[in-house]
Amino acid sequence: MTLLLAGDIGGTKTILRLVEFSETVGLKTLYEESFPSGDFPDLVPIVQKFLHTANFTTPEKACFAIAGPVRGNTAKLTNLSWFLDTDRLIQELGIVSISLINDFAAVGYGIFGLTKQDLFTLQVGKYQPAAPMAVIGAGTGLGQGFLIKHGNQYQVFPSEGGHADFAPRNELEFQLLKYLLDKHNIDRVSVERVVSGLGIISIYQFLRDQQIATESPEIGQAVRTWEQEAQKTEKTVDPGAFIGSAALQKSDRLSEKTIELFVAAYGAEAGNLALKLLPYGGLYIAGGIAPKILPLIQNGSFMLNFIQKGRMGSLLKEIPVHIILNQQVGLIGAGLCASRL
């Protein structure tokens, strides 16, 4: 048995999990705790407090999934002033081996710790065990990554594919592109501006301003409050949640049209990633949004736009496509990554 520390380090909260690993059983959670990241000047005091409370011996290895770019052995968090360096962490925490990985890379590792109950299959496809795997996930932003088999294990690679250009495919999407260019006074629009939590709000604003449907008072107020707080780090309202809920309940036409456009763009971008990698090992949809609007993704629009790639559509029909339902996949991945150090 090996004692490991797994961490999911975000700008809002840090989740730490102490796990025991064995080749036969895999990961066994011993203790877990969540901390408000902004209350601490650095990761070190959080880990020290966690280990003191857990009252276990110092773990042999640790892996921390970081919400931000990881370069070599260092990481700078996107929404915090923390700068992390593995050499410093090893010295100050007394843990022999520590790894920092991108939070979406952690999702890639986490796939191998999921059960059938953690997945919803959109397309069975024709699984090929030696083929690449792909991960895409809309949440606060749009993460993308891929896995390549090397010997008996997969190597996980994050990417910044979410910052590639948004590619409109019909008149409405071309109008959305122009709307975003003009609204933000920018010279390009990334796909993340459309396929993400912020993207849902942007699509709603576009359809509202185009007067596609009448705005409901409740959702309208939520969006206006969010717009007024645009420059604030902490928001008091999440209009995306209101929009998604109303679309699920079919209680607001503007919200329904918003999620329809969002799901179509999401499926199309997942198809773009699949075309580039041909991940017959499986394409996995991560992030917090897909499970929350699962019935609206199941209705066929996502997969229709996924395979709508002209002559290449027949290839995409053979790719297994799964939605990850377990929102702790990143923590699971950090634990599995630590076990491989």
Side-chain angles (χ1 to χ4, degrees):
M1 296 286 189
T2 307
L3 192 62
L4 308 172
L5 177 61
D8 188 352
I9 318 301
T12 303
K13 65 180 178 180
T14 289
I15 306 173
L16 298 178
R17 177 182 288 178
L18 201 61
V19 297
E20 206 170 46
F21 176 79
S22 69
E23 293 292 345
T24 53
V25 178
L27 297 177
K28 178 184 176 183
T29 300
L30 302 176
Y31 182 73
E32 181 179 321
E33 193 172 352
S34 179
F35 302 86
S37 302
D39 289 355
F40 296 85
D42 187 68
L43 178 60
V44 170
I46 296 182
V47 175
Q48 289 172 335
K49 183 177 180 179
F50 171 81
L51 293 177
H52 177 75
T53 306
N55 197 26
F56 281 85
T57 58
T58 302
E60 297 177 37
K61 307 172 186 177
C63 177
F64 301 110
I66 308 297
V70 177
R71 295 182 174 88
N73 297 321
T74 64
K76 172 72 172 69
L77 269 75
T78 303
N79 295 314
L80 277 179
S81 59
W82 296 3
F83 180 79
L84 304 179
D85 178 276
T86 55
D87 292 338
R88 178 177 66 86
L89 293 174
I90 288 170
Q91 182 179 6
E92 296 188 20
L93 294 174
I95 299 173
V96 175
S97 185
I98 294 178
S99 176
L100 303 175
I101 61 174
N102 174 265
D103 56 350
F104 219 73
V107 173
Y109 284 107
I111 289 171
F112 302 104
L114 299 177
T115 66
K116 289 183 179 180
Q117 290 70 35
D118 293 324
L119 299 171
F120 181 89
T121 298
L122 288 175
Q123 179 169 274
V124 176
K126 296 181 180 178
Y127 172 71
Q128 297 179 18
M133 301 166 69
V135 188
I136 184 170
T140 304
L142 179 65
Q144 297 187 13
F146 60 98
L147 299 86
I148 303 293
K149 197 161 192 180
H150 181 71
N152 294 324
Q153 289 187 323
Y154 277 88
Q155 288 186 289
V156 181
F157 301 91
S159 87
E160 293 298 337
H163 295 284
D165 298 332
F166 168 58
R169 299 163 300 137
N170 53 51
E171 182 60 31
L172 188 62
E173 289 185 354
F174 275 107
Q175 291 176 16
L176 172 61
L177 174 66
K178 187 176 188 309
Y179 174 88
L180 292 173
L181 289 170
D182 293 343
K183 180 181 178 67
H184 299 288
N185 192 27
I186 50 180
D187 56 11
R188 67 178 290 273
V189 172
S190 70
V191 67
E192 184 177 78
R193 280 192 182 269
V194 177
V195 182
S196 65
L198 292 176
I200 290 176
I201 302 170
S202 293
I203 294 170
Y204 179 92
Q205 292 170 321
F206 160 67
L207 295 176
R208 176 199 63 190
D209 294 349
Q210 293 292 310
Q211 299 181 335
I212 296 295
T214 304
E215 185 175 47
S216 73
E218 180 186 21
I219 298 175
Q221 183 57 53
V223 172
R224 283 190 293 276
T225 300
W226 183 88
E227 290 170 339
Q228 291 166 3
E229 297 175 345
Q231 304 305 318
K232 297 181 180 179
T233 304
E234 296 293 331
K235 307 290 193 299
T236 61
V237 65
D238 177 12
F242 283 88
I243 295 165
S245 178
L248 281 169
Q249 297 169 17
K250 299 186 184 301
S251 61
D252 178 62
R253 186 58 182 157
L254 187 54
S255 295
E256 288 182 67
K257 295 295 291 182
T258 296
I259 299 301
E260 283 175 16
L261 204 162
F262 170 80
V263 169
Y266 200 170
E269 179 59 18
N272 289 339
L273 180 62
L275 274 180
K276 294 168 185 174
L277 297 171
L278 295 179
Y280 294 114
L283 182 139
Y284 291 81
I285 301 160
I289 295 177
K292 292 177 182 175
I293 60 168
L294 184 58
L296 302 178
I297 290 182
Q298 284 179 258
N299 70 9
S301 174
F302 184 96
M303 290 309 302
L304 175 66
N305 287 275
F306 177 84
I307 64 175
Q308 203 171 57
K309 303 297 181 187
R311 292 172 295 170
M312 298 296 105
S314 59
L315 296 179
L316 299 194
K317 289 179 181 178
E318 297 183 358
I319 292 174
V321 180
H322 312 282
I323 294 177
I324 298 174
L325 303 177
N326 189 333
Q327 292 301 289
Q328 292 192 317
V329 61
L331 260 181
I332 294 170
L336 290 172
C337 179
S339 73
R340 289 171 55 169
L341 292 176

